[in-house]
């Protein structure tokens, strides 16, 4: 699916590249640079660029372009979602995702990309699973690795990878069991001079921070689920139950994750 990934800064320099199959020359990014020159702003660069032999699929976040190169037709949103997951993982590991942060953690970045894709196909994208595979960097671990020549990669397979809930590791224990849910909504509205609403819509999502022992099974319901359009769930949600009962039932990952995103239109 994904052959290569190029990370480009705002100056147009390719400061990192990763290849999972055959090595693709970075000159393929010239097509991206041409589209970038025609765009009025960084966010206006076409997310999918067709070239004679490849497709370039990109996102722009934190003043960086993440450009994936594929050689066959694939669902573009699938690749775009994966690129966003890569940035989210970097932010979770390093605190932010900037050019300097990536350069300072080159080894860990390459280890993460190697685990997140297997022969170009997404493999492990959940942060808590990756943290069992590759330990997050810190000062002491960096010094030890430098002296001993070891790496952050674990010798054992994550416990959750072999279960039917690969997004959650087994044996989780907390002294205090806590679960936090943040509902974040952005309202876009057009209001005329008399104060009447001409158009309004809401884009929202629910962020979770789950610190529960064992293998918790949670449910969430809404007062009026008919308001929700274009609902997108985390893989942990049992979609069949949502379709039949309009109840969100899930075994949550350990830590922070986005449970659901949704849209509410003015017609509702």
């Amino acid at each position: 699916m994904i052959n290569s990934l190029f990370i480009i800064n705002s100056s147009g320099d390719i400061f990192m590249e990763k290849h999972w199959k055959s090595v693709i020359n970075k000159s393929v990014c010239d097509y991206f640079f041409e589209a970038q020159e025609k765009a009025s702003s960084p966010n206006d660069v076409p997310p999918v660029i067709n070239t004679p032999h490849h497709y370039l699929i990109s996102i722009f976040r934190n003043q960086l372009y993440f450009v994936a190169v594929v050689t066959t037709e694939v669902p573009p949103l699938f690749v775009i979602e994966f690129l966003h997951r890569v940035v989210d993982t970097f932010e979770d590991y390093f605190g932010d995702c900037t050019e300097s942060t990536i350069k300072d953690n080159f080894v860990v970045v390459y280890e993460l990309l190697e685990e997140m894709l297997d022969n170009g196909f997404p493999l492990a994208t959940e942060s808590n699973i990756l943290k069992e595979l590759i330990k997050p960097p810190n000062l002491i671990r960096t010094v030890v690795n430098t002296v001993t020549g070891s790496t952050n990669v674990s010798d054992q397979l994550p416990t959750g990878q072999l279960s039917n809930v690969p997004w959650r590791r087994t044996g989780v224990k907390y002294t205090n069991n806590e679960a936090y849910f943040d509902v974040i909504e952005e309202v876009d509205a057009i209001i005329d001079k008399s104060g009447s609403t001409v158009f309004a819509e809401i884009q929202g999502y629910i962020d979770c921070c789950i610190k529960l022992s064992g293998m918790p099974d949670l449910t969430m319901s809404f007062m009026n689920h008919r308001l929700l359009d274009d609902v997108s769930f985390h893989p942990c949600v049992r979609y069949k139950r949502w379709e039949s009962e309009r109840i969100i039932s899930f075994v949550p990952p350990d830590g922070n994750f986005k449970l659901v995103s949704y849209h509410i239109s003015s017609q509702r």
Side-chain angles (χ1 to χ4, degrees):
M1 178 177 287
I2 299 176
N3 286 65
S4 303
L5 172 67
F6 296 94
I7 304 181
I8 306 171
N9 61 21
S10 54
S11 302
D13 299 323
I14 303 173
F15 67 91
M16 180 179 171
E17 56 185 274
K18 168 67 178 168
H19 307 277
W20 285 274
K21 297 182 180 180
S22 59
V23 176
I24 295 177
N25 195 292
K26 60 184 178 182
S27 61
V28 72
C29 292
D30 290 344
Y31 295 99
F32 175 81
F33 294 136
E34 290 177 7
Q36 184 185 17
E37 290 177 358
K38 297 176 182 177
S40 57
S41 70
N43 291 315
D44 292 332
V45 177
V48 181
I49 300 172
N50 185 15
T51 74
H53 303 290
H54 307 90
Y55 296 97
L56 306 182
I57 303 176
S58 64
I59 64 171
F60 180 73
R61 284 183 60 178
N62 301 338
Q63 304 303 310
L64 297 176
Y65 292 98
F66 293 78
V67 183
V69 182
V70 298
T71 56
T72 58
E73 289 191 12
V74 298
L77 290 178
F78 189 87
V79 179
I80 289 173
E81 175 62 26
F82 174 77
L83 293 176
H84 281 293
R85 189 66 63 90
V86 168
V87 178
D88 292 339
T89 301
F90 289 171
E91 289 178 342
D92 192 26
Y93 261 74
F94 312 128
D96 59 2
C97 180
T98 62
E99 181 180 356
S100 59
T101 302
I102 293 174
K103 287 181 176 179
D104 291 341
N105 298 277
F106 249 16
V107 174
V108 179
V109 167
Y110 274 104
E111 290 172 347
L112 285 171
L113 292 175
E114 193 66 38
E115 296 296 339
M116 294 182 76
L117 279 186
D118 179 28
N119 198 33
F121 290 86
L123 179 64
T125 58
E126 289 296 331
S127 182
N128 59 86
I129 295 297
L130 287 168
K131 285 180 179 177
E132 283 195 77
L133 276 168
I134 303 166
K135 303 300 181 185
N138 57 41
L139 182 59
I140 296 177
R141 190 172 290 124
T142 302
V143 173
V144 171
N145 290 347
T146 303
V147 174
T148 62
S150 57
T151 68
N152 293 331
V153 180
S154 173
D155 296 329
Q156 297 180 342
L157 196 66
T159 53
Q161 275 298 85
L162 302 178
S163 71
N164 59 350
V165 283
W167 52 83
R168 184 175 180 85
R169 57 192 175 94
T170 59
V172 180
K173 292 183 180 180
Y174 287 101
T175 304
N176 296 319
N177 290 289
E178 301 172 325
Y180 298 97
F181 298 88
D182 292 328
V183 180
I184 297 113
E185 294 184 335
E186 297 179 357
V187 181
D188 294 325
I190 299 175
I191 301 174
D192 62 20
K193 60 182 180 180
S194 63
S196 301
T197 302
V198 177
F199 169 82
E201 66 176 6
I202 297 174
Q203 301 285 348
Y205 57 91
I206 300 177
D207 268 348
C208 305
C209 179
I210 305 296
K211 297 180 180 180
L212 299 175
S213 303
M215 196 67 67
D217 198 324
L218 309 180
T219 57
M220 175 185 293
S221 60
F222 297 93
M223 294 293 292
N224 188 356
H225 60 77
R226 296 182 183 85
L227 290 174
L228 306 181
D229 282 331
D230 300 330
V231 183
S232 175
F233 295 110
H234 187 277
C236 69
V237 175
R238 300 181 179 96
Y239 189 67
K240 286 187 177 180
R241 187 169 182 187
W242 167 258
E243 283 188 317
S244 60
E245 305 176 36
R246 288 305 190 230
I247 291 176
I248 298 179
S249 173
F250 60 102
V251 175
D254 182 46
N256 300 303
F257 67 101
K258 183 184 291 186
L259 177 64
V260 58
S261 59
Y262 56 87
H263 170 265
I264 300 176
S265 63
S266 56
Q267 281 72 29
R268 295 288 178 167

